[in-house]
Amino acid sequence: MSTSSEALLDLSAADRLLGSAVSALSDPDVPAGHAAYAALLIEHLSQQLSRAQLHAAEAVRRTGAHKLDADSLQAIADGGLEPTPQQVEAAAGRTTGGRTHFKKALDLLAGWLNVPVSTARERLSSADCLIAQVTDAGEPAAPALPVLAAALDDPGTDPRLVISAARKLRAADKDLGTGPEAEQTRVELQELALELIRSQPATARKHISALIAQAVGEQRPPEALLSQIGIYPLGIRNGLERFLVKLLPSQGETMHAIFRAIDNPKTMAGNRDALAEQAAALVDDGAAPGWDDESTMPDWAKAADDADGNSTGDGTGDGTGWVGEGTEDETPEASEPGGEPDSAAGPPDNPPAEARKTELPGPFEDLRPELRHLLGLMAVLQANGPGALASDGHAVITPQIGVLLDYDKMLESGRDFAVTTSGIPIPAGQVRAMVCNAGLYPVVLNGKSRILDLGRTQRLFSKPQARAIRAAYRGCGYPGCSMPAHRCELDHLDKWERGGRTDIESSDLFCEIHHIARHCGLFHSVKVKGSRPMVLLPRELDPEQRLQFNTYFFSPSEALRLAEWARRATALWRAGQLDATIADP
């Protein structure tokens, strides 16, 4: 029996075993530990399957399987999912130069296997990048992305991340240009992407997207960028006016700063009540203002009664403040198998009738972030200028923007040396413009922090300390957490009641959930001299017991530097050569 015949029998057996295993999970008495273990194994199988799908698509194309004659396809159909050895041998098939059911490999994948055309096309494109290309003469050639291709079959590397990186690079291929310099850029991007995949798998997709976008942006002259920025009206759809906003990174950071100010009740002051009133007015479809006598109101302005006599309103609200039960992960795009949820997706344009009737909650903080940001932004736009008062006398928002400069890198290359406190890389020219326009606040990092340290003089961190910590740490310190700094809590790593000091080097930043989790002993913070505190996850979550950073809010180049330092710090720590202390819960 040939090797390929044995492989087919193995795949058939694997299909039966997997079906049997998944069926057992429906047992109501399955132990929780077994359910978690099954999820772990199935996730690993998913990685294997994503790799196998590319190899299968490439094999179909390479062997010309779309040219199989009708008898060969019938032999495969007769064997089905549980073929005998004889049926496997009979399914070897033969190709023909005559007319067949499929013109090309894509047609066979889509028309015979019912793989969506877009998915089949992506698999073949990924096979070009990671396994082998096909020349115009039909001959096999080297893969388009050889660095990533070498990692596809590495058992220690998640192939899904490799495939995702390959697709992103392939999509940016035209923007990267041609010539020796462009080819060198492609190689460097592959190497950096692979390093991110192996060192920062939890945030690799985000960093790789940013890395490629930054490389493409550097290839485009300022004139090209300026020719596309602006606000583009998209018209009305389902009762909502839509706009597409395209900004330079420096302008985008101003928007992020405004949103941070909106989310922070301390910065909104008296404006919060005014915005809450503005939000309530969006869905206030009750009695019109000024109608004191309901008997004089026209029928269209009166509240309708249901069968029980309860007032229901006219029920025609468009759901501007729709909060519904669904989440953005339930949008059609995010619900497709294997799809990646779009973090910018909001509620559907036309929610169910029940959701459209949902009224806005009272507290401003309970609104959807998207709606809250829109209301705050409208308040800024309706004011006379930064620091001015709105027509009702409430203070408007004055955004604060922090830009971190890597001095050594600025002198060395003059590129990729500036990043905002939101983790957005800023090109050198835009940095110079931002400095000229002021509105920035200086942040000094990696100093001894003696001026900001308060020691035992007070329990809580001062505003300058809080600003420095949030600027330096960007967000929650737990690896993979996506909670930004302005929504995190400052944490004393040395307990105040045990003589701890309110110092920068003895502080960390965690979201509310991970702050409580640390104090419950579910993970540990590790104080390292001259470094941001690191995180040590428990052995059941990280068998390798590595010191880790959360790089979610850092730029790709920063994330790579932090990952390298974490590796070196872990090696030094294990050798007893690192000045580090595990903080008490």
Side-chain angles (χ1 to χ4, degrees), residues 485-505:
H486 68 279
R487 298 181 62 185
C488 291
E489 300 171 347
L490 297 172
D491 186 13
H492 285 81
L493 298 185
D494 293 333
K495 292 185 177 180
W496 175 264
E497 61 272 19
R498 296 184 183 177
R501 298 166 59 87
T502 306
D503 292 344
I504 296 292
E505 64 180 12

Side-chain angles (χ1 to χ4, degrees), residues 358-381:
T358 303
E359 293 184 358
L360 283 168
F364 186 74
E365 289 79 2
D366 290 345
L367 301 183
R368 290 184 290 109
E370 297 84 2
L371 176 58
R372 190 165 65 236
H373 295 164
L374 173 62
L375 295 175
L377 181 59
M378 293 302 296
V380 174
L381 296 177

Side-chain angles (χ1 to χ4, degrees), residues 462-473:
S462 67
K463 289 185 178 179
Q465 282 182 311
R467 177 177 289 181
I469 293 170
R470 289 192 167 96
Y473 296 173

Side-chain angles (χ1 to χ4, degrees), residues 25 61 72 93 156 260 338 360 367 454 463 506:
L25 291 177
R61 181 177 60 186
S72 300
R260 286 196 298 270
L360 283 168
L367 301 183
L454 301 178
K463 289 185 178 179
S506 300

Side-chain angles (χ1 to χ4, degrees), residues 98-142:
R99 188 175 183 84
T100 60
H101 292 291
F102 310 106
K103 293 183 179 180
K104 52 187 177 181
L106 177 66
D107 297 335
L108 183 143
L109 295 175
W112 191 51
L113 301 179
N114 295 321
V115 177
V117 174
S118 59
T119 303
R121 187 176 289 111
E122 283 183 351
R123 289 182 187 174
L124 290 170
S125 176
S126 297
D128 282 337
C129 295
L130 301 172
I131 301 177
Q133 298 184 90
V134 177
T135 65
D136 294 337
E139 297 294 327

